[in-house]
Amino acid sequence: MNLVERDLNVIWHPYTQMQTAKPPIPIVRGEGALLFDEHGKSYIDAVSSWWVSIHGHANQYIAKKVAEQLKVLEHVIFAGFTHPTAVELAERLLQIIPDNQAKVFYSDNGSTAVEIAIKMCLQYWSNKGHKRGKMLAFKNAYHGDTFGAMAVSGRSAFTEAFDNLLFDVEFIDLPNAENIDELKSHISHLQSDLACFIFEPLLQGSGGMLMYEAKYLDELIAHCRAEQVFTIADEVMTGFGRTGERFACDHLQQQPDVMCFSKGLTGGTMALGITTCTQQIYDAFLSDDKHKTLFHGHSFTANPVACSAALASMDLFMQPETMANIKRIVASHVAFGKKIKDHPKVKDVRQTGIIIAIEWETGAGTSYFSTLRDKLYQYFLDAGIILRPLGNVLYILPPYCISNEQLGYIYGKIEEALNTF
Ligand SMILES: *Cc1c(COP(=O)(O)O)cnc(C)c1O
């Protein structure tokens, strides 16, 4: 049996209708922006392997640091114990995120980082003896696949089977010049029930690369602060350079109370999640009463190997070349966007930082299940490019090491596809 046959015998893949999906592509090696299958065919990883790989694959510096850490300490329980890489990573992360963030809570993926953020805000109010159990989120949001994270995500095909079990969340539209005042008065109206407002800053990823302006998010955050509603910036996808700055919050004047990180945190090397919060939130859990403790922890909380990957990734991220690469990709996308925006098949082209999204004119409305999606996906795979359209929204979200030649090749194939489908 070959690898694919053995896979199909024993494995159930994520977000995959196993009856109709094509067999998985067996990848045996990665290098920079490229992945290689077992026959030696190369693919440009234009989606950073589900948005995690920021420095490209099999980065030798990260590999070296991880290998060193593995020989020294692979894991230690994180309740009652600590270790150098967790402390150093927390110190260094706090230096580069908004300066109101005071404490770092570790977990092991983006969904758990969100669960912890929600629990921090809900239990803050419970510890203070207030009844504030409702949450505010954007329509079309995506915050993860565990129950709490799913509850604050927009209702969709992903959540349908569980809708009656998801807790009480108020969904609002993305803010713009027309609706901002209405949104603010809505928040004021709900205020005494609201524990927190969670959002993906500037850009809703899984929702279809939907983008909105920093100034209106600033207004919402300021308004929430005035109404004592905590704000949670889910930077799981936007963090570490994706928006053209280090963090999406760097585009804002206001600072959120809680932040979530994962995906690019370890450069896409290992699973790790971080939730940070303000001193005010942390302080509400300090008590002689044990009931006020944040009772949350995962077996692999602050795994030293994952923390060492994150530290190595941060070393690379802080090098001037990385930001230069980010700016290079941003400029390159801008030029490509201008070139194709008037193509009859382009309904919309939009960009935030290194992410460019092209919405295909389909006649019908956007659908995650559109057949166009499958055709485009296969077309690019055949051309040696991994692009996974969200319905009729095609996007490029590359690792920063992608070359101009590789970008040019992707753009060329997209133009070909625009003329084909
Ligand atoms: C991917 C994602 C998550 C969930 O992270 P996982 O590590 O896949 O659980 C949460 N929030 C946002 C904005 C994401 O893009």
Side-chain angles (χ1 to χ4, degrees), residues 56-239:
H57 293 283
N59 182 283
Q60 295 300 298
Y61 177 74
I62 298 177
K64 178 172 155 275
K65 292 292 187 178
V66 166
E68 282 169 12
Q69 181 61 43
L70 268 169
K71 288 180 208 156
V72 178
L73 179 67
E74 86 304 343
H75 192 57
V76 60
I77 176 175
F78 208 59
F81 294 84
T82 191
H83 58 83
T85 53
V87 175
E88 191 186 337
L89 178 58
E91 287 171 348
R92 286 181 59 187
L93 182 68
L94 289 176
Q95 276 167 22
I96 60 171
I97 62 176
D99 60 16
N100 69 337
Q101 299 298 298
K103 290 288 188 284
V104 168
F105 196 105
Y106 283 105
S107 62
D108 46 24
N109 62 73
S111 302
T112 53
V114 167
E115 296 287 340
I116 291 157
I118 294 170
K119 281 193 181 179
M120 282 176 176
C121 294
L122 287 174
Q123 195 179 337
Y124 173 96
W125 291 110
S126 156
N127 281 1
K128 292 272 178 189
H130 291 272
K131 264 205 156 135
R132 285 197 183 212
K134 220 178 164 80
M135 272 156 282
L136 189 71
F138 284 131
K139 288 174 191 164
N140 297 310
Y142 179 77
H143 296 291
D145 287 348
T146 52
F147 261 85
M150 196 165 50
V152 290
S153 298
R155 300 292 172 264
S156 71
F158 300 175
T159 62
E160 201 174 271
F162 316 104
D163 276 359
N164 61 333
L165 299 169
L166 301 178
F167 42 71
D168 197 11
V169 177
E170 186 74 16
F171 291 101
I172 57 173
D173 289 322
L174 290 180
N176 55 42
E178 284 79 52
N179 69 4
I180 185 74
D181 291 331
E182 198 187 314
L183 294 181
K184 285 200 267 188
S185 59
H186 192 51
I187 291 170
S188 296
H189 181 68
L190 294 169
Q191 181 254 347
S192 57
D193 292 331
L194 283 180
C196 59
F197 168 38
I198 184 167
F199 52 85
E200 296 158 272
L202 306 192
L203 166 71
Q204 296 185 303
S206 303
M209 298 296 162
L210 305 172
M211 301 172 189
Y212 63 103
E213 282 181 65
K215 63 176 172 185
Y216 301 117
L217 181 57
D218 262 329
E219 285 199 44
L220 288 182
I221 295 173
H223 190 70
C224 282
R225 176 143 307 124
E227 297 285 18
Q228 290 187 291
V229 174
F230 289 121
T231 52
I232 304 171
D234 176 355
E235 291 239 24
V236 168
M237 187 270 239
T238 51

Side-chain angles (χ1 to χ4, degrees), residues 134-357:
K134 220 178 164 80
M135 272 156 282
L136 189 71
F138 284 131
K139 288 174 191 164
N140 297 310
Y142 179 77
H143 296 291
D145 287 348
T146 52
F147 261 85
M150 196 165 50
V152 290
S153 298
R155 300 292 172 264
S156 71
F158 300 175
T159 62
E160 201 174 271
F162 316 104
D163 276 359
N164 61 333
L165 299 169
L166 301 178
F167 42 71
D168 197 11
V169 177
E170 186 74 16
F171 291 101
I172 57 173
D173 289 322
L174 290 180
N176 55 42
E178 284 79 52
N179 69 4
I180 185 74
D181 291 331
E182 198 187 314
L183 294 181
K184 285 200 267 188
S185 59
H186 192 51
I187 291 170
S188 296
H189 181 68
L190 294 169
Q191 181 254 347
S192 57
D193 292 331
L194 283 180
C196 59
F197 168 38
I198 184 167
F199 52 85
E200 296 158 272
L202 306 192
L203 166 71
Q204 296 185 303
S206 303
M209 298 296 162
L210 305 172
M211 301 172 189
Y212 63 103
E213 282 181 65
K215 63 176 172 185
Y216 301 117
L217 181 57
D218 262 329
E219 285 199 44
L220 288 182
I221 295 173
H223 190 70
C224 282
R225 176 143 307 124
E227 297 285 18
Q228 290 187 291
V229 174
F230 289 121
T231 52
I232 304 171
D234 176 355
E235 291 239 24
V236 168
M237 187 270 239
T238 51
F240 301 97
R242 295 324 201 168
T243 65
E245 298 290 340
R246 285 179 187 160
F247 298 96
C249 286
D250 293 337
H251 297 269
L252 300 173
Q253 307 297 316
Q254 300 294 323
Q255 301 183 327
D257 298 290
V258 181
M259 298 180 76
C260 305
F261 307 92
S262 188
K263 293 205 165 112
L265 174 60
T266 63
T269 309
M270 316 261 313
L272 185 68
I274 284 182
T275 310
T276 62
C277 71
T278 57
Q279 192 70 37
Q280 181 195 358
I281 293 180
Y282 177 78
D283 284 346
F285 291 75
L286 301 178
S287 173
D288 294 329
D289 178 357
K290 287 229 167 74
H291 292 95
K292 296 198 170 167
T293 308
L294 181 58
F295 291 109
H296 193 108
H298 298 276
S299 313
F300 287 101
T301 297
N303 174 258
V305 185
C307 290
S308 74
L311 281 170
S313 177
M314 179 120 45
D315 289 343
L316 299 175
F317 184 59
M318 298 306 282
Q319 284 176 359
E321 295 95 289
T322 303
M323 198 39 88
N325 270 332
I326 290 172
K327 302 290 179 204
R328 170 179 62 85
I329 297 166
V330 169
S332 175
H333 281 350
V334 168
F336 177 58
K338 280 200 186 117
K339 190 171 174 205
I340 59 165
K341 74 175 184 350
D342 296 323
H343 192 287
K345 287 283 175 58
V346 174
K347 188 169 171 194
D348 186 33
V349 49
R350 47 186 183 263
Q351 182 182 351
T352 299
I354 60 95
I355 302 160
I356 185 166

